[in-house]
Amino acid sequence: MTAEQPAGSGAEIENLMAEGRSFPPDPGFAARANATKELYAEAAADPEAFWAKLARERITWQEPFHTTLEWDLPFAKWFLGGKLNITENCIDRHVAAGLGDKVAYHWIGEPGDTRTITYADLLREVQKTANALKELGVGTGDRVAIYMPMIPELPIAMLACARIGAPHTVVFGGFSAESLVDRINDAQAKLVITADGGWRRGKPVDLKSAVDEALTRTPSVEHTLVVRRVGDAQPGTAMTAGRDLWWHEIVDRQAADCPAIPLDSEHMLYLLYTSGTTAKPKGIIHTTAGYLLGTSLTHSWVFDVKPDDVYWCAADIGWVTGHSYIVYGPLANATTGLLYEGAPDTPSWERWWQIIEDYKVTILYTAPTAIRAFMKQGEALPRKHDLSSLRLLGSVGEPINPEAWLWYHENIGGGSAPIVDTWWQTETGSILITPLPGVTTTKPGSATFPFPGIEADVVDANGASVPLGSGGYLVLKRPWPSMLRGIYGDPERYRATYWGRFPGMYFAGDGAKRDSEGYLWLLGRVDDVMNVSGHRISTIEVESALVDHPSVAEAAVVGKEDPLTGQAIFAFVTTKAGIETGDALAAQLRDHVAKVIGGIAKPKYLIFTPDLPKTRSGKIMRRLLRDVAEGRPLGDTTTLADAGVVETIRAGAGGADDE
Ligand code: 7RM
C-alpha cells in the first residue's frame, strides 16, 4: 500500500469482481422507495440547481439563502445569506407539526434499563441544557468538548450546543485522557460535558477520572458538567468544587424555553478529530446548512426511511457515523431511532437480535467488523430470534467482503432486505458512494455508484481518469454541501492534505477499482492510515505513542490484514541499549499505547527488532514491514541502507506476540 500501489492485490479484486452475483431491486420495494433513478440525471444536468432546490424544500430557514455556492477552491461556502438553526430543523418543527409524542429515541442501557425520549421530551431537555450552557458562560462560537457514554444526554448535549451556536467536539469515550487533552487544547474548549462513567461488558467504565487527568493540562476549560450514569456502582467520583457541576443539579432547574437562535448557513456546527498521516489528529470542520442537507437527504434516500420505521444505527456517536446517522440526519427526518449503550456480546452475542425482535427494528446500519464478529458466533444465534421486521440493512466503515455481505443478507436480512454498502468519511460529512435501494442493482462488495450530485472518479498517479476495469485513486471532482470546510486552525494543511495531490480534485486517501459496468469497489487506504474495526488510526500516532515510552528507541507500525477487524496493528519496536525485551515489556508497551491513545490503538502484534529497515535517507520502509507482517515474500529491497536487517526482523517475526 505505498502511494504508488493502492491496497488490495490485483488478484484479490479480480476475484471479488468475478463473484458475479448481483441483486436487482425488488419491484415491491422499488414501487414505494424514497429514491428514483431519475434523480441521477436531474442532479447531473445542473448539480447546483439540484442542491438549491432540495435545500429550499428540506430545510426550515429563518432567512432564505441568496447564493447557492461560492467556490474558491478548495474553500467552499454553501447557501450564503441563509439563516437557520439545525435544532429547529431536528426538533421544533416536528413538535409544531404534531409529532411531539413520536419517539425520537428508544434508549437501552447495557444493564437493561430503558428510557423513551419523545420529540417533545427532546425539545424540553435540549432547551434546558442550552440554558445551563448559557449559565456556565458558554456563548455562540465557544467550543464545548463532549466525552460521554451512549446515553440520551449525549445527543441532548450536542443539540444544546447547536441551539446556541457553540460548536461541539465529541471525543469518543474509548479515547484516553491524553487524546482528550490534545483535542480540548486544539479546540480551546471552555466546557467539558461528561459522565461519571458508562456501562461496558457488565462493568462501569470510569470517564470522569480521565477528564480530571486531562484537565491538569487544559487551561481553556472553565467547567465540567457531569451526568450521573453509573452512580454507586462506581463510588468515589471526585468533583472539584467550583469547577465540576452535576448535570442534574444544573440542568434540571433550568427554564424549558430557549429560543433557537438564527445562525448563518456557514456557522461552525462541530469539530470532529480524525487521524491523518501525522501524529496530530485533524479537527475536521463541519458547518450548518450544507451538513444538514447532506445528512438528512442521504438518510432519507439511502435508508429509505418512512414515518413508521424503527431505525438503528449501531455506531457510537463519538464517530462521524453517529453524528450524521444517529443524531442530525435521522432527527431532521423525524425518525424513531434506537440508542444502545453497551457491547454486542453482553450479556451474550444474542443482545442485538433480542433488541431487534423486542423493538421491531426495521433498518439496521452497522460495520463489516461487527458483521464478521457475529458470523464467528454462527447463524444459530440470529435464527433464535424474529428478525422479520428488518427491511433494509446498511454497512459502513471499511470494505465489506462478499462473504460477510452474503451472510448479512441471508442470516440477518432474511434473503430479501436490500443492503446498502455506503462509502464516506469524516471529511465528507454524509454518504457519497452508495446504492439507492429500490433503484440500484447491488453486487456484494461494491459500494456501487456516487450519490446523485456527487462526481467521483478513479484516476492514475497523474490524475487521469482510468478506463473501466482498472484501479487507481478515488477522487471527487466537485464540491458538495456536507463537505468539510477545513482543518481547524490549519487551512494550509487542509489544502495540502486533500487538494494537493491532484490539482482541482479532492483526494480521499482511498484506492478504488471500477469494473466493466462502472461499479466502484473500494480498496482501502493508500496512505499511512490504518482501518481497525472501521476506526481510523494513523501508523504515526501509534509510533509516537510507543517512542514516548522510556524503553523504546524507535518504532514502526503497519496494518496487517485481519479476518475480524479488517486490519490489525503490527508494531516493530527497537529498544534502547541495555533494555531487556520479552513478553512483559511487550505487554507494558501495548498498555502504554492504550493509555496514550485509547484501547482501540493497542497493537495486536508487537515484536522487538534490533533495527528497522530504512532507506539511505533514513525513511522507514513500511512496505517491507508490511511484507513481513503479512508473511509475504519481500518486495524490492535495493534501496535499503542495510539489506540484512529485514531478514533479521523476519526471523524474529515468527514469534510475533498475538494477544
Ligand atoms: C464513515 C467513516 C473513512 C474511511 C474511508 C475508507 C473507509 C468507509 C467504507 C470504507 C470501503 C465503505 N468515516 N470506508 N466506508 N471503505 N467501503 N463502505 O467510516 O472517517 O472514520 O473513515 O473508512 O477508507 O476513507 S471515517
Side-chain angles (χ1 to χ4, degrees):
M1 287 201 284
T2 61
E4 290 73 42
Q5 184 195 359
S9 68
E12 215 170 79
I13 192 67
E14 293 314 332
N15 284 339
L16 286 183
M17 301 198 310
E19 263 281 321
R21 254 168 293 184
S22 63
F23 294 79
D26 171 75
F29 191 106
R32 54 190 304 269
N34 290 353
T36 62
K37 74 170 190 302
E38 286 71 33
L39 293 165
Y40 290 105
E42 186 199 331
D46 188 346
E48 271 186 50
F50 169 79
W51 294 122
K53 177 181 147 221
L54 288 161
R56 284 190 196 99
E57 281 172 12
R58 303 188 67 90
I59 294 179
T60 299
W61 296 93
Q62 296 183 340
E63 269 176 47
F65 61 92
H66 53 66
T67 304
T68 303
L69 170 66
E70 199 181 277
W71 180 221
D72 179 13
L73 197 147
F75 299 100
K77 291 183 179 159
W78 284 88
F79 312 123
L80 290 94
K83 287 198 191 294
L84 72 160
N85 190 291
I86 199 166
T87 70
E88 184 188 4
N89 280 270
C90 288
I91 320 173
D92 304 50
R93 62 171 173 170
H94 306 323
V95 176
L99 297 177
D101 292 336
K102 183 169 182 182
V103 175
Y105 294 118
H106 289 291
W107 175 77
I108 304 161
E110 196 193 73
D113 46 342
T114 60
R115 280 167 70 185
T116 306
I117 316 283
T118 64
Y119 276 90
D121 295 335
L122 198 57
L123 182 58
R124 186 185 61 247
E125 295 308 316
V126 166
Q127 295 190 90
K128 284 181 150 190
T129 310
N131 281 330
L133 297 182
K134 287 185 190 166
E135 183 181 315
L136 296 176
V138 177
T140 305
D142 289 337
R143 277 81 58 212
V144 174
I146 301 179
Y147 185 62
M148 289 173 90
M150 286 281 282
I151 54 178
E153 287 83 356
L154 170 50
I156 289 169
M158 295 162 76
L159 293 160
C161 289
R163 192 148 185 104
I164 62 170
H168 54 69
T169 183
V170 181
V171 180
F172 170 59
F175 275 126
S176 67
E178 285 196 44
S179 297
L180 188 55
V181 168
D182 294 343
R183 287 156 175 78
I184 290 174
N185 286 337
D186 191 78
Q188 287 291 292
K190 218 170 165 177
L191 174 73
V192 178
I193 308 182
T194 186
D196 54 355
W199 288 96
R200 188 88 193 159
R201 301 217 156 82
K203 289 200 259 323
V205 176
D206 190 353
L207 288 173
K208 179 59 168 55
S209 59
V211 172
D212 290 340
E213 194 185 326
L215 260 53
T216 61
R217 283 171 290 147
T218 55
S220 62
V221 176
E222 295 169 6
H223 290 291
T224 72
L225 190 56
V226 188
V227 177
R228 181 173 280 158
R229 163 64 185 135
V230 293
D232 295 340
Q234 174 201 273
T237 296
M239 297 291 278
T240 301
R243 187 195 71 183
D244 298 342
L245 306 155
W246 285 110
W247 174 291
H248 56 272
E249 288 177 5
I250 303 297
V251 174
D252 289 359
R253 61 172 166 73
Q254 300 292 326
D257 180 32
C258 175
I261 58 168
L263 297 164
D264 285 339
S265 289
E266 284 296 335
H267 187 80
M268 182 159 75
L269 174 64
Y270 70 77
L271 289 173
L272 187 59
Y273 286 83
T274 188
S275 293
T277 54
T278 72
K280 188 180 181 312
K282 304 173 282 197
I284 301 301
I285 301 171
H286 282 293
T287 60
T288 304
Y291 179 79
L292 172 60
L293 177 62
T295 54
S296 67
L297 184 68
T298 51
H299 182 257
S300 170
W301 289 358
V302 175
F303 300 109
D304 192 53
V305 180
K306 302 286 199 290
D308 55 354
D309 272 310
V310 179
Y311 161 88
W312 185 13
C313 166
D316 191 287
I317 291 179
W319 308 109
V320 74
T321 303
H323 283 58
S324 298
Y325 297 108
I326 297 179
V327 183
Y328 293 108
L331 294 179
N333 293 331
T335 304
T336 293
L338 207 130
L339 209 55
Y340 170 56
E341 177 186 33
D345 61 349
T346 306
S348 82
W349 280 101
E350 284 171 58
R351 187 71 190 259
W352 280 27
W353 316 134
Q354 187 67 53
I355 290 174
I356 290 169
E357 180 173 1
D358 290 348
Y359 288 83
K360 305 209 178 344
V361 172
T362 56
I363 299 167
L364 176 67
Y365 189 31
T366 187
T369 288
I371 298 165
R372 290 190 295 263
F374 290 122
M375 273 172 82
K376 224 171 118 177
Q377 307 305 319
E379 43 260 28
L381 298 185
R383 201 172 292 146
K384 281 164 67 181
H385 297 271
D386 178 7
L387 306 182
S388 61
S389 54
L390 285 171
R391 65 177 198 90
L392 184 129
L393 304 174
S395 172
V396 62
E398 47 179 321
I400 180 165
N401 47 310
E403 194 196 352
W405 196 106
L406 292 165
W407 189 89
Y408 196 29
H409 182 253
E410 280 307 314
N411 296 288
I412 309 304
S416 61
I419 295 184
V420 289
D421 172 4
T422 62
W423 178 92
W424 61 294
Q425 307 178 294
T426 303
E427 292 86 342
T428 70
S430 60
I431 294 166
L432 297 196
I433 300 176
T434 179
L436 291 180
V439 175
T440 312
T441 293
T442 55
K443 301 183 185 184
S446 168
T448 73
F449 303 104
F451 189 81
I454 302 300
E455 196 189 339
D457 200 359
V458 180
V459 300
D460 65 18
N462 301 315
S465 194
V466 302
L468 293 186
S470 315
Y473 305 94
L474 181 71
V475 295
L476 301 165
K477 291 183 148 171
R478 174 203 288 290
W480 63 101
S482 67
M483 67 190 276
L484 76 166
R485 299 303 194 262
I487 296 175
Y488 193 61
D490 203 345
E492 206 25 64
R493 188 176 174 198
Y494 165 66
R495 184 197 299 276
T497 306
Y498 301 105
W499 303 88
R501 178 75 171 82
F502 304 105
M505 304 177 210
Y506 172 91
F507 175 43
D510 281 334
K513 264 218 168 188
R514 205 160 25 191
D515 70 16
S516 58
E517 295 176 304
Y519 280 71
L520 291 165
W521 299 74
L522 278 304
L523 302 175
R525 305 290 305 188
V526 296
D527 52 17
D528 290 327
V529 177
M530 299 174 287
N531 188 329
V532 180
S533 300
H535 302 317
R536 279 163 66 171
I537 303 164
S538 110
T539 53
I540 301 166
E541 260 177 290
V542 181
E543 287 165 5
S544 317
L546 286 165
V547 175
D548 176 67
H549 190 278
S551 304
V552 175
E554 217 176 10
V557 165
V558 299
K560 171 180 161 63
E561 254 180 62
D562 188 274
L564 200 62
T565 58
Q567 283 189 312
I569 300 177
F570 196 128
F572 298 82
V573 174
T574 306
T575 52
K576 289 181 183 155
I579 300 288
E580 197 182 317
T581 62
D583 290 353
L585 182 62
Q588 236 188 64
L589 294 180
R590 280 212 194 87
D591 289 343
H592 185 70
V593 174
K595 185 173 170 353
V596 174
I597 306 174
I600 47 165
K602 205 170 174 174
K604 179 168 181 185
Y605 307 91
L606 191 147
I607 63 164
F608 295 104
T609 75
D611 221 332
L612 294 171
K614 292 196 185 147
T615 63
R616 268 153 276 213
S617 66
K619 281 210 181 85
I620 294 173
M621 291 182 71
R622 282 210 186 70
R623 174 173 57 79
L624 292 180
L625 292 175
R626 274 193 288 264
D627 290 341
V628 173
E630 303 288 6
R632 286 193 294 252
L634 295 184
D636 182 13
T637 56
T638 50
T639 55
L640 264 183
D642 171 4
V645 68
V646 256
E647 283 314 326
T648 319
I649 295 173
R650 207 218 279 272
D657 200 352
D658 176 354
E659 275 203 315

